[in-house]
């Protein structure tokens, strides 16, 4: 069966510090991968998605970046965090072999920027 | 701009009742429809998906799709307090990798 991991689970970082969040998927190959952010009391905001190694599409211009160094690994980064970067960061994957292209979410990382 | 609309709620139902959650969407080209359950502080969990008109049943959950009316609903039979959560509707068009999510409906099932 497939499993998606995210770490860390929680993170408190000062403004201006760097960020690195990691997501890995097990039990599948060549998944589509996604990064979302959910701010308190708000909906899901798609940040990046990837259909293959090294292929990143950005949905929102901001101080975040993403990379996919391996087939089942997706990394979200920032060089300098802003207060507005606080939120619940969710990684998701899609089994592209499935017609519906349903998404499955990881457990998330709760980021607080102080 | 593709839109997915949900009543934010909260929808309050007594234990044992049927909870009915509704979602409308703007893109007539939409082909896949999803319902997620999100407990407070947790990530969304996929509970149903449907891509044909009509009903799809899975245990106490039934998804209903009406493409002509651009409407998808989720029925929860015999609601339990453990069903209390926010339910997110998501819609995806054909050939797209990206679903559009609604803001979610908060459901409260009281004993």
């Amino acid at each position: 069966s497939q499993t998606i991991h995210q770490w860390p689970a929680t993170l408190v970082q000062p403004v201006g510090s760097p960020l690195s969040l990691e997501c890995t998927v097990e039990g599948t190959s060549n998944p589509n991968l996604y990064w979302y952010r959910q701010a308190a009391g708000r909906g899901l905001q798609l940040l990046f998605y990837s259909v293959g190694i090294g292929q990143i599409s950005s949905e929102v211009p901001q101080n975040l970046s993403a990379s996919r160094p391996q087939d089942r690994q997706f990394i979200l980064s920032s060089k300098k965090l802003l207060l507005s970067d606080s939120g619940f960061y969710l990684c998701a994957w899609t089994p592209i072999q499935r017609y519906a292209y349903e998404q499955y979410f990881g457990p998330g990382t709760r980021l607080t920027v102080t | 701009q593709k839109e997915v609309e949900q009543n934010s709620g909260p929808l309050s139902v007594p234990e044992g009742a049927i909870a009915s959650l509704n979602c409308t969407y703007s893109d007539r080209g939409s082909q896949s429809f999803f319902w997620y359950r999100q407990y407070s502080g947790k990530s969304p969990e996929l509970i149903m998906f449907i891509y044909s008109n009509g009903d799809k049943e899975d245990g106490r959950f039934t998804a209903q799709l009406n493409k002509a009316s651009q409407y998808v609903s989720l029925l929860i039979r015999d609601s339990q307090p453990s069903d209390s959560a926010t339910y997110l509707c998501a819609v995806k068009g054909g050939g797209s990798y990206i679903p559009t999510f609604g803001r979610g409906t908060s459901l409260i099932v009281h004993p």
Side-chain angles (χ1 to χ4, degrees):
Chain A
S1 64
Q2 299 85 10
T3 308
I4 179 169
H5 302 279
Q6 285 187 248
W7 63 90
T10 60
L11 194 58
V12 180
Q13 293 283 95
V15 168
S17 64
L19 174 73
S20 181
L21 303 180
E22 189 165 343
C23 169
T24 59
V25 182
E26 295 179 354
T28 188
S29 60
N30 196 28
N32 286 354
L33 297 172
Y34 308 79
W35 279 112
Y36 287 89
R37 178 170 62 201
Q38 191 174 41
R42 301 184 66 179
L44 285 169
Q45 179 187 28
L46 178 66
L47 302 175
F48 302 94
Y49 71 95
S50 172
V51 300
I53 296 174
Q55 300 179 63
I56 309 295
S57 296
S58 173
E59 291 295 303
V60 183
Q62 54 197 342
N63 67 319
L64 299 173
S65 61
S67 62
R68 186 170 177 175
Q70 300 180 41
D71 180 44
R72 292 169 290 170
Q73 183 185 31
F74 206 20
I75 297 173
L76 182 70
S77 304
S78 174
K79 292 182 179 179
K80 289 186 177 182
L81 284 169
L82 307 172
L83 284 174
S84 58
D85 291 325
S86 293
F88 193 32
Y89 286 81
L90 294 157
C91 181
W93 73 281
T94 291
I96 62 171
Q97 302 86 355
R98 295 285 293 269
Y99 173 85
Y101 278 41
E102 66 271 23
Q103 285 187 337
Y104 297 92
F105 286 87
T109 295
R110 192 162 301 281
L111 171 66
T112 303
V113 182
T114 60
Chain B
Q1 179 83 4
K2 300 175 183 177
E3 294 182 343
V4 176
E5 298 289 341
Q6 296 182 256
N7 188 319
S8 61
L11 173 66
S12 182
V13 301
E15 184 175 357
I18 296 175
S20 178
L21 303 162
N22 305 315
C23 173
T24 59
Y25 59 94
S26 63
D27 182 10
R28 285 197 170 274
S30 299
Q31 293 189 353
S32 302
F33 307 84
F34 312 92
W35 283 101
Y36 290 83
R37 177 177 61 199
Q38 186 174 23
Y39 292 115
S40 180
K42 302 295 185 181
S43 64
E45 173 191 6
L46 180 67
I47 54 173
M48 292 284 286
F49 65 87
I50 186 169
Y51 43 78
S52 300
N53 270 331
D55 295 359
K56 179 181 180 182
E57 186 175 319
D58 184 0
R60 296 187 296 112
F61 299 101
T62 299
Q64 299 177 317
L65 175 61
N66 185 325
K67 288 186 178 180
S69 300
Q70 296 177 242
Y71 176 96
V72 57
S73 64
L74 179 71
L75 302 179
I76 306 175
R77 291 182 300 281
D78 189 23
S79 295
Q80 301 297 310
S82 59
D83 294 325
S84 299
T86 296
Y87 289 79
L88 303 174
C89 172
V91 174
K92 194 185 75 64
S96 170
Y97 298 121
I98 311 299
T100 301
F101 282 84
R103 296 286 297 269
T105 298
S106 174
L107 173 66
I108 298 172
V109 181
H110 53 87

